[in-house]
Amino acid sequence: MLKFINYIPLALTYFLPFALLTGPAIPDILIVIISISFILRSFYARDFIWTKLPIVRIFFLLWLSLIFISFFSYNRVLSFSESIIFVRFFIFAIAVSYWIITDVKKAKVLLSIVFISLCVLIADGIFQLLTYSTEYGFGSSIFGFKAFVYGRMTGPFNDEIIGSYIAKFFFMSLLFIYLIKNEKLKQFIFFIFFNLGFLVVFFSGERMALA
């Protein structure tokens, strides 16, 4: 039973980088499932040592501060509800660091998945850039979707997230490149990945991603 509880969240965590490409709904569901699995596992194994970790106490104080701020919000009901359920992200972060990704091998797998997902997006962005026209803007993505706004790239699931996604996971992918042992290959991949990644973010039209 415990092995089954351990395996499912690990598989969901590996799938999460690809799920983020679909929009916010599926990733949020996965995060909730992983968080609940972590709580269930803690009760089943009677393992609550993680509650004594300093980072957990910091997360708890941040969560309490969000709830406290809700007292001064214009819409208290909405603010309280969002603040309370925000704890799922804290539990998810703790679950990944304390329970799911516990060794270098698992971390390498996760980093490789993130790197592959970014490579797909960068290739998609370059494809849209090469099919750009002054009349219609960027061309359709390799998945056949067209951007809603002129001058903006679209993501693989018809959502304009390509620049922000690359910006969020860019440095995690650099960690994967760092793990490559062949120095010449490492430098070559870094040069291509860094420049093409920056190029796609620059032309994606997302200012915060560029910043």
Side-chain angles (χ1 to χ4, degrees), residues 119-128 131 139-146 154-156:
C119 287
V120 172
L121 276 190
I122 291 174
D124 188 17
I126 296 298
F127 179 78
Q128 294 180 58
T131 55
S140 300
S141 69
I142 56 179
F143 300 91
F145 296 111
K146 181 71 176 178
T154 183

Side-chain angles (χ1 to χ4, degrees), residues 59-71 79-80 82-84 86-87 90:
F59 282 162
F60 182 72
L61 291 175
L62 288 175
W63 183 46
L64 290 180
S65 67
L66 292 176
I67 297 177
F68 177 75
I69 293 173
S70 299
F71 283 102
S79 182
F80 271 116
E82 292 183 350
S83 298
I84 292 173
F86 195 79
V87 72
F90 293 156

Side-chain angles (χ1 to χ4, degrees), residues 7-207:
Y7 175 76
I8 296 299
L10 178 62
L12 294 180
T13 303
Y14 286 158
F15 180 70
L16 191 58
F18 293 112
L20 287 168
L21 298 175
T22 65
I26 296 179
D28 206 18
I29 293 173
L30 296 182
I31 288 174
V32 170
I33 294 175
I34 294 171
S35 300
I36 294 176
S37 300
F38 177 62
I39 298 299
L40 292 176
R41 178 259 179 195
S42 297
F43 279 100
Y44 184 83
R46 296 181 181 179
D47 179 13
F48 294 97
I49 299 177
W50 57 272
T51 58
K52 300 179 181 179
L53 298 175
I55 189 65
V56 175
R57 297 176 181 178
I58 294 174
F59 282 162
F60 182 72
L61 291 175
L62 288 175
W63 183 46
L64 290 180
S65 67
L66 292 176
I67 297 177
F68 177 75
I69 293 173
S70 299
F71 283 102
F72 307 96
S73 175
Y74 178 77
N75 191 335
R76 293 183 180 180
V77 176
L78 179 61
S79 182
F80 271 116
S81 61
E82 292 183 350
S83 298
I84 292 173
I85 63 175
F86 195 79
V87 72
R88 68 191 187 279
F89 295 111
F90 293 156
I91 296 176
F92 169 73
I94 297 167
V96 171
S97 60
Y98 178 81
W99 173 41
I100 300 176
I101 307 299
T102 55
D103 54 57
V104 176
K105 184 178 180 180
K106 293 178 181 178
K108 286 182 178 179
V109 173
L110 181 60
L111 290 175
S112 64
I113 293 174
V114 172
F115 178 76
I116 292 172
S117 65
L118 255 68
C119 287
V120 172
L121 276 190
I122 291 174
D124 188 17
I126 296 298
F127 179 78
Q128 294 180 58
L129 183 60
L130 293 176
T131 55
Y132 176 88
S133 68
T134 55
E135 182 178 1
Y136 299 104
F138 292 108
S140 300
S141 69
I142 56 179
F143 300 91
F145 296 111
K146 181 71 176 178
F148 299 107
V149 182
Y150 181 90
R152 294 288 296 270
M153 289 182 179
T154 183
F157 292 94
N158 207 22
D159 192 4
E160 295 172 350
I161 61 166
I162 187 168
S164 60
Y165 187 95
I166 294 175
K168 290 175 182 176
F169 293 96
F170 190 77
F171 295 101
M172 285 185 66
S173 298
L174 294 185
L175 287 176
F176 172 77
I177 297 175
Y178 176 78
L179 294 174
I180 299 176
K181 295 182 179 181
N182 190 306
E183 287 297 326
K184 291 185 178 180
L185 179 62
K186 180 191 299 184
Q187 293 175 11
F188 176 76
I189 295 177
F190 175 83
F191 178 81
I192 298 297
F193 181 82
F194 187 91
N195 286 282
L196 292 183
F198 180 82
L199 186 68
V200 172
V201 172
F202 179 80
F203 284 104
S204 67
E206 301 178 43
R207 297 178 181 177

